């Protein structure tokens, strides 16, 4: 599947029915999701692999992984409403997903090294400081390769945070468009530069 074709399919998916600011529930833009997944696919990290979407939300990354031929795709999220939307989105694309409710970092119901690849759009920490750290920790436990979306400029922090456990082995720049979603938003549309980082596990987690 070509990148543009994947992006078009992901653009049709439904967003959060009742987004919660404390969870930083912003829909992953189809362009960023498609770019992450396509990049991972070219590195043999999707097709035929067991893929975990941490904090899957409405299932954009999980659905895309399934479309690109993942052998098994599981999404985990704390919000039941988001999971119901993810199930509906998967159905609309005839994508086979396993969806679990759980809070990343607190109730992680999966055994270590259960997956080949983790894909994720973790919270950036705008509402809760260091909210992305449990996602990074869980991702490195769950799989040897992780692809995540982070604020531009996060590379140095991530490299230091995973030192001794993992190594950043790839960076793809992009932008994350956020429409007016919450009452405290002042603009109709904000474009945030982001980095898609590839992290490889190199030590015990």
């Amino acid at each position: 599947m070509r990148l543009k074709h994947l992006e078009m399919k992901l653009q049709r998916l439904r967003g959060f029915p009742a987004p919660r600011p404390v969870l930083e529930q912003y829909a992953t833009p189809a362009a960023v999701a498609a770019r992450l997944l396509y990049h991972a696919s070219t590195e043999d990290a999707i097709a035929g692999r067991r893929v975990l979407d941490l904090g899957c939300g409405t299932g954009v990354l999980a659905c895309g992984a399934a479309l690109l031929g993942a052998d098994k795709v599981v999404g985990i999220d704390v919000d039941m409403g988001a999971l119901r939307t993810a199930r509906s989105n998967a159905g609309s694309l005839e994508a086979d997903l396993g969806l679990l409710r759980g809070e990343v970092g607190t109730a992680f119901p999966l055994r270590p090294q259960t997956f080949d690849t983790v894909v994720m759009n973790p919270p950036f920490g705008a509402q809760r400081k260091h909210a992305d750290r449990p996602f990074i920790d869980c991702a490195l436990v769950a799989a040897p390769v992780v692809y995540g979306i982070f604020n531009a400029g996060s590379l140095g922090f991530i490299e230091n945070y995973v030192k001794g456990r993992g190594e950043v082995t790839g960076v793809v720049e992009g932008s994350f468009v956020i429409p007016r979603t919450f009452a405290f938003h002042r603009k109709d549309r904000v474009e945030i530069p982001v980095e898609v980082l590839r992290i490889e596990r190199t030590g015990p987690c």
Side-chain angles (χ1 to χ4, degrees):
M1 183 180 296
R2 293 185 177 180
L3 174 61
K4 194 62 181 178
H5 189 199
L6 176 62
E7 182 180 338
M8 289 173 62
K9 282 184 173 290
L10 297 182
Q11 282 175 338
R12 302 171 190 163
L13 301 183
R14 294 168 52 207
F16 288 97
R20 298 163 59 186
V22 69
L23 297 178
E24 297 189 37
Q25 289 182 325
Y26 301 101
T28 305
V32 178
R35 193 169 183 185
L36 179 156
L37 292 163
Y38 192 78
H39 180 66
S41 182
T42 63
E43 297 182 337
D44 197 29
I46 301 293
R49 304 297 187 184
R50 298 165 299 169
V51 178
L52 172 65
D53 182 356
L54 273 180
C56 65
T58 60
V60 176
L61 290 172
C63 286
L67 291 175
L68 289 175
D71 182 59
K72 174 183 180 182
V73 183
V74 172
I76 180 171
D77 201 277
V78 70
D79 189 330
M80 283 302 300
L83 289 172
R84 283 192 289 270
T85 301
R87 187 171 291 110
S88 174
N89 282 336
S92 70
L93 293 176
E94 298 183 348
D96 185 16
L97 306 183
L99 297 170
L100 300 173
R101 184 175 186 273
E103 185 172 357
V104 174
T106 301
F108 188 60
L110 299 168
R111 290 179 294 178
Q113 303 182 42
T114 308
F115 294 89
D116 301 305
T117 306
V118 168
V119 295
M120 63 180 185
N121 175 24
F124 289 173
Q127 300 298 318
R128 289 186 300 172
K129 194 174 182 180
H130 307 318
D132 56 343
R133 294 187 181 187
F135 286 78
I136 298 168
D137 296 339
C138 285
L140 288 172
V141 170
V145 180
V146 180
Y147 293 84
I149 302 168
F150 300 91
N151 261 325
S154 296
L155 175 59
F157 159 72
I158 300 296
E159 288 179 323
N160 186 62
Y161 186 69
V162 303
K163 191 174 183 179
R165 300 180 294 159
E167 179 182 359
V168 177
T169 56
V171 183
V172 177
E173 296 180 351
S175 61
F176 197 122
V177 177
I178 298 179
R180 186 192 294 267
T181 305
F182 302 114
F184 58 81
H185 285 170
R186 297 181 179 180
K187 297 182 179 180
D188 291 333
R189 181 179 182 274
V190 175
E191 188 168 340
I192 299 174
V194 296
E195 296 167 340
V196 174
L197 302 183
R198 182 183 193 269
I199 308 170
E200 287 188 54
R201 187 173 61 219
T202 58
C205 298

